[in-house]
Amino acid sequence: MSKELSHNKVRRYGMVIDLDKCTGCGACMVACMAENNVPFKEDESNKRDSITWMKVYKLTNGKPFPNTEICYLPRPCQHCEGHDGHSPCVSVCPATATDYNSETGIVSQIYTRCFGCRYCMAACPYHARYFNWWDPVWPDGMEKYLSPNVSPRMRGVVEKCSFCFHRYQLAKDKAYYEGRSEVREDEYQTACTQACPAGAITFGDLNNPLHAVHQMVKPDLKHAGRPKSPNAFRLLERLGTNPKVYYLSDREWVRRAGDNYMADTKNHLEPKEH
Amino acid sequence: MKVDRRKFLSFVVGGAAGTALSPLPWKLVDDSSIWSQNWPWTPVPEDGEVSYEPTTCSLCPGGCGIIVRKIKDRVVKIEGIKGHPVNDGGICILGLAGLQLLYGPTRVKTPLKREGARGSGKWRKISWADAISEVAGQLNSLRSSDKADTIGCIGGSDRGVTPNLLKRLTSACGSNNFFRTPSMQDSYETALQLMHGKKAMAGFDFENADFILSFGSGILDGWGSPVRMFKANSNWKTNKTPVIQIEPRLSNTAAKADQWLPVNPGTEADLAFSLINIIIEKGLYDSNFVNNYSLGFADLKQLVKDKYKPAKIAQATGLKSSDIEKLALKFADARRPLAICGSGQGHTPGSLKTFVAVHALNALTGRVNSKGGVWAVEEPDYIKWPEVQKDKPAVKGLAQARIDGAKSKYPLSQYLLNQLPDAVNSESKASLQALLIADANPFYTMPDNKAAQEAFNKIPFIVSFSSYMDETATNADLILPNHIYLERFEDIPTATGFAGPFIGLSRPIVKPQFNTQALGDSLISIVRTMGGTVAASFPWADYKTCLVQTLGSKWPALSKKGYWVDSRFMVPGWTEGFKTASQKFNFSNKDLMMVYNSRPIIPEGSDSFPLLLLPYDSIRLANGYIGDPPFVIKTVADTVLKGKKSFVEINPITAKKYKLKQGSTAILSTPKGQAQVKVHLFEGLMPGLIAMPRGLGHTAYDNYLAGKGINFNELIGTQADPVSGQDAAWGIKAKIARA
Amino acid sequence: MSSLDEKDNAVPADSNAQASLPNDTSKDKMDEKENETSGFIIFFFIIGLVASLIAGWVIFPKLLYSKKDQPINFNHLLHMAEVDDGCQSCHFLRTDGSFSGIPGLKQCIGCHDEIQGESKDEAIFVEEYVQKGREVPWLIYSRQQDCVFFSHAAHIKGDGMDCVTCHGHIGESEQTRVYEENRITGLSRDIWGKSISGFNANSWERMKMNDCAKCHKEAIGKASSVQTGKEGCFVCHK
């Protein structure tokens, strides 16, 4: 494949999370924190200021004992494409600190560019963005485990899941070294995908029919990537954010919970166009 | 010439124009913005060559293969090894946070000797030589005053080279009082001893089973080898293997199971016997196995027929008798059903009756020693050390019975740490004079915690070998810190529940960060200093030599690959798989009948405690020897822990009765103590129960963990199983009121 | 200006003018003085201008950068003559595609386990570093700040660029240059460039984001960033 061709090729990296396999163990959360130099404080029980790029939510069907059911829902940044890359956060950022990359489909966040206005946090319907209210502090000696591939953040900036973009950068380096122009599916996997002991997370290029993610959800590109697979859904589909994280569940109440506004999942209502 | 205002202004204007035409302002703006993006106190991780080194995680007995990512000599990430027989690339939440233990503030950085009262946190740094000679001196003086049997040791395990060195040190000194941290392994071992005639661990062939019946086992909450269980569960989902979870609380396991059967707590054994009864009555058992490869079937048949009629059990368990029957039929109809027990993470041994009942259920359907079933996995027999050498004090000491009643009052049990507090507290003079503790944190993990602490405080000399400043180290007289698992060699024989003989090898993948020493080396130095027969019982120059020699022919493969699996191992089968006197499986014998007929464990407490308090385990709350590192405690939900307060779960119906709302502060009391808690309304808990997480309420470790929530062990007592003597308490009566 | 002057004159407190001169003659004298003063005003303007230009162009750079010598004076030219593979003999891509950067002791020991020649610098290197097993704390001229991800593999292998384009003719140097560190940012002067004006005659003289963007916008012509119409931020940032 020629270099030009590879440059022009549009990838849309995305994730499929099988909620029937997810056990809510939280390994993805810690894998993410360890991979991305996410800071921690003595008290992290105020979840509004607790930075968790990947956060596992607990959903219940609201029925009384013994008909109660629980489902866990891991929520990374959804890397919304919106229309033509105008994802909710990107369109409001006054500092060009967050951006949609149409080559990979990844919503980037450049910490040194961010000046902390938090418009993006207000705009994000998934609460996937976190603000550094404090400077990160690692106990003496613990800064030794920090990874050089992800820049530690400072007080006053917003941060979020990057789909472990640095892993893509490293995989590309290796590909360049070996004279390849393409990164293989298994070469670029996020830390949460790799760690998940239940194998509930799948990651890859949604545009590539050979990639597992594509085969699992069959995104309908004519309809803003809406999944064709019957058990697949996206969070708040109707907002038209066009996210690249898909969820699978064979339980209807779970699929319904994925969109608060969804009256009927069976008929697969047309997502509202903005 | 005078400089007037006009000239000055003109100078200023000229200066301003010049400045604007010079790079100064523009460069300063640029530089200060760069400066503001890179505060000097924000660390900049150093880059360098990346390397990957494989090892085995030993934070739990799961035996997962891990690979660490290093930048020069810094370890920056822990990941699972793809293709490893236990975890195949997966890794659990605790294993991922291991680097926070390695580099964290909880490490004991050098040998410490207590100054001031126990637990006061006042320590003096001492040299290794002094620390070793202090321990050796104390042990020698006990031996020379004929009190060798008052030396006790608590280890996290009794498998592998290091635990056996500790055990050997105990016997070489002349004491039988080596204790192992209790767990469901104790009960499984006893059950296998009685039914298979083997001293072994239970190995489960989950990957080949096609129907899973779990009597309260937290398959997805940290039971067994956690990552393997997660993987197995995902395979069951793919293969449509039904999983049925029996427990009164909608745990993560129950939530992911195909069917959740909430039974009244403590009735698991009844349900198992009732299933046996139905299967026998309907003639659905494996008659080939029962007739040709087992003994004592008739007695069991009679027993279940008499005592476990469905109607009666329906009432006891709270299930419909038709549901019990359906369950029995489903189990018997499945091609390879498998029943397991050991509640939650299996950190308490539990009632032996449940274990033998569940094992008998497996046997009845031919699921022992066959594919997709359960069998006895003997420890790889590489530890073939000669008998210890005994001098007079040793001979005398070894003639004394263990103080916990194991092997004497309770002949079926090897270790009964739960009986230790009573044994120590009931005597006026301490029956233990010295206690060495390694890879265990009994000050935190032991139920009836107050009594346990009281007992420990009566023991005049306590040595901790902990790598971390845990509760036990905090209350010790001397700490000889061990390297942590990423800094030392260690063999990990047989991952919990693994279906075949297996040895994993932990190896140093990073230089020791502090002035610590491998436990094996500390023990060898201690005996060396003690001299005499004790020293002579340890013919190794150092720990590494001992390890390499002991592993012998297995060492090269182990050190190359990181693990060893017995490639010749085959499913034991029925013909030669049992080592009982008859070479057959025992459905019953004298001991088993005693277990079958033993009284049920009724929770402690009078009628003034109308509710039942149960513990629950979460994979996000490490509750054994290791406490939660910062990342892991960070993931705990705010309905479990908020600030310093922990929550108990209560069904809204029960809560209403006691006028409790979501988030109410309440006083929870049990016969063992009381605590202020917050209330979380949870529909998934059976009414009448209160559920409380294990793993909180630490008083030691770092500020990220200490002082958060309540330690469940302070509220529960112990209840000895009538036959095994192991702790079988599964709950305690309780009351709750608004604070 | 003039209205201001008149106002000035009208102020009775202007003691010099009023005390010594009668009112009618004062006007001429004043004009004379005016010319003289405006001459001085320009003079002062020029003084101010020149002084600040000197301060900005000459003194400021001197104050802004601190100078540090490399721990050892390294002779690139000499080494280039000894090795077979040019720059890549010592500064190579590792097999995972990452760039090795400045060689560590491990590589140098290959030749320098003992003193080879008569250079004083080599003697220091062997005695102070090799024998003591200490890494040399080289000062890196081209080190970017932490938020930058730079892929040597992409530029060398992917785009076939040579070392000189960004690093200049360092391979022909016989002396190590003085390392100048920006006192505010802590970065090397080479990032902004030797010229304080930010003007660069050669491609290697400056490595600010705009310099990267120049190629990333023009040469490659990719516009994957929705916000900027240039190449995406995550290409060079981490």
Side-chain angles (χ1 to χ4, degrees), chain A residues 84-132:
Chain A
D84 306 321
H86 291 287
S87 46
C89 52
V90 171
S91 38
V92 299
C93 180
T96 331
T98 187
D99 193 7
Y100 185 88
N101 188 326
S102 54
E103 193 196 334
T104 55
I106 289 173
V107 176
S108 59
Q109 175 77 16
I110 309 301
Y111 317 116
T112 45
R113 185 98 198 176
C114 173
F115 55 63
C117 71
R118 299 191 283 135
Y119 282 2
C120 55
M121 291 174 69
C124 175
Y126 303 105
H127 296 274
R129 293 177 158 270
Y130 293 90
F131 186 64
N132 281 275

Side-chain angles (χ1 to χ4, degrees), chain B residues 348-515:
Chain B
T348 43
S351 151
L352 184 57
K353 196 156 134 183
T354 310
F355 285 78
V356 291
V358 170
H359 202 63
L361 177 64
N362 281 321
L364 196 66
T365 44
R367 304 318 306 146
V368 293
N369 289 11
S370 52
K371 194 176 170 187
V374 50
W375 49 79
V377 177
E378 284 158 299
E379 188 181 354
D381 60 341
Y382 55 91
I383 299 181
K384 292 170 184 152
W385 296 336
E387 275 276 292
V388 291
Q389 299 192 26
K390 297 169 208 161
D391 54 4
K392 235 166 134 190
V395 173
K396 200 169 164 206
L398 289 171
Q400 306 293 317
R402 290 173 61 93
I403 71 163
D404 58 0
K407 296 179 183 167
S408 51
K409 186 177 169 196
Y410 297 104
L412 297 181
S413 287
Q414 295 189 71
Y415 316 105
L416 291 167
L417 184 60
N418 57 313
Q419 305 271 359
L420 180 71
D422 250 9
V424 172
N425 288 334
S426 61
E427 292 176 37
S428 54
K429 80 171 186 22
S431 40
L432 278 191
Q433 293 290 326
L435 185 61
L436 277 53
I437 304 168
D439 293 332
N441 185 12
F443 271 77
Y444 172 81
T445 57
M446 282 184 67
D448 201 356
N449 206 257
K450 227 177 269 163
Q453 294 209 15
E454 191 192 323
F456 289 129
N457 287 332
K458 277 178 81 177
I459 301 169
F461 184 62
I462 296 180
V463 181
S464 163
F465 292 98
S466 181
S467 305
Y468 318 103
M469 202 39 115
D470 54 28
E471 283 79 1
T472 305
T474 308
N475 287 289
D477 302 301
L478 205 58
I479 312 175
L480 278 66
N482 194 355
H483 291 333
I484 86 158
Y485 70 118
L486 300 169
E487 301 168 328
R488 66 179 191 233
F489 277 109
E490 186 145 10
D491 51 323
I492 297 146
T494 311
T496 314
F498 200 69
F502 169 88
I503 309 171
L505 182 72
S506 285
R507 50 185 153 195
I509 46 87
V510 61
K511 271 188 296 196
Q513 297 294 304
F514 303 108
N515 183 23

Side-chain angles (χ1 to χ4, degrees), chain A residues 86-269:
Chain A
H86 291 287
S87 46
C89 52
V90 171
S91 38
V92 299
C93 180
T96 331
T98 187
D99 193 7
Y100 185 88
N101 188 326
S102 54
E103 193 196 334
T104 55
I106 289 173
V107 176
S108 59
Q109 175 77 16
I110 309 301
Y111 317 116
T112 45
R113 185 98 198 176
C114 173
F115 55 63
C117 71
R118 299 191 283 135
Y119 282 2
C120 55
M121 291 174 69
C124 175
Y126 303 105
H127 296 274
R129 293 177 158 270
Y130 293 90
F131 186 64
N132 281 275
W133 290 96
W134 296 275
D135 262 313
V137 178
W138 284 270
D140 218 15
M142 234 197 237
E143 71 285 341
K144 278 192 202 159
Y145 73 62
L146 294 179
S147 159
N149 303 122
V150 183
S151 196
R153 279 71 68 187
M154 61 297 289
R155 178 180 51 190
V157 303
V158 170
E159 60 181 78
K160 67 160 196 82
C161 153
S162 67
F163 269 174
C164 287
F165 186 76
H166 60 284
R167 290 187 169 214
Y168 181 63
Q169 289 173 325
L170 299 181
K172 269 210 313 198
D173 267 6
K174 185 151 197 283
Y176 276 127
Y177 180 79
E178 291 169 2
R180 289 179 286 127
S181 54
E182 281 299 307
V183 167
R184 285 196 312 265
E185 186 180 13
D186 63 333
E187 282 183 315
Y188 172 34
Q189 290 292 321
T190 64
C192 53
T193 309
Q194 188 189 32
C196 178
I201 310 178
T202 314
F203 183 78
D205 180 5
L206 291 162
N207 276 0
N208 190 335
L210 299 174
H211 281 207
V213 282
H214 179 96
Q215 293 162 1
M216 288 167 90
V217 295
K218 301 186 182 67
D220 184 353
L221 295 178
K222 288 196 190 92
H223 293 93
R226 203 181 58 193
K228 281 190 236 164
S229 301
N231 282 346
F233 68 97
R234 296 189 288 185
L235 295 182
L236 307 179
E237 175 75 71
R238 285 197 179 191
L239 294 185
T241 51
N242 191 3
K244 282 196 291 297
V245 178
Y246 295 77
Y247 295 90
L248 300 176
S249 178
D250 56 17
R251 289 192 265 185
E252 202 198 329
W253 74 266
V254 174
R255 297 198 297 273
R256 291 173 70 94
D259 193 338
N260 299 339
Y261 307 99
M262 194 166 276
D264 186 1
T265 45
K266 273 182 193 156
N267 296 333
H268 248 310
L269 289 175

